Amino acid sequence: GRVDNVTHHGITIPFVIGHYFRAPVFLADMQTFNGRNTAELRYKDLTHESVHVFVEEEQSKDKETRHVTENVGYFTLIPSPIFDFKRP
């Protein structure tokens, strides 16, 4: 999926209700690099219903942390074990 206009305040991305019974694997990255300060995408509050994403600026250039809008691309997966260690 994709969400536009993500700032330092963030935005909550809802998931399809009933699709996940526990928090999914969530992968995301900024698709744009607007503004003059270095920033990274962060997330919090990942549940089976939604996740909150926001742009966080580092503070080496200046102390303010407000950031202009960025577009974010994301992908979710149903969690499952990568390896099955059970032996017959």
Side-chain angles (χ1 to χ4, degrees):
R2 178 180 162 158
V3 290
D4 297 335
N5 302 318
V6 179
T7 68
H8 57 283
H9 293 295
I11 188 168
T12 298
I13 301 171
F15 300 137
V16 176
I17 300 298
H19 188 72
Y20 298 110
F21 297 104
R22 60 183 177 173
V25 175
F26 178 74
L27 306 169
D29 200 10
M30 293 189 316
Q31 304 296 296
T32 55
F33 298 98
N34 299 321
R36 294 186 288 174
N37 292 341
T38 303
E40 293 293 332
L41 184 69
R42 303 281 188 237
Y43 74 89
K44 64 180 183 178
D45 303 328
L46 176 62
T47 70
H48 68 285
E49 295 179 341
S50 65
V51 64
H52 187 81
V53 296
F54 59 99
V55 178
E56 183 177 70
E57 281 191 5
E58 58 88 27
Q59 296 178 322
S60 66
K61 185 176 180 182
D62 54 40
K63 295 298 180 193
E64 67 84 19
T65 57
R66 295 181 309 267
H67 195 77
V68 297
T69 62
E70 302 285 0
N71 298 334
V72 172
Y74 68 92
F75 187 75
T76 58
L77 296 165
I78 296 172
S80 65
I82 296 174
F83 299 102
D84 183 2
F85 292 105
K86 295 178 184 177
R87 302 215 180 237

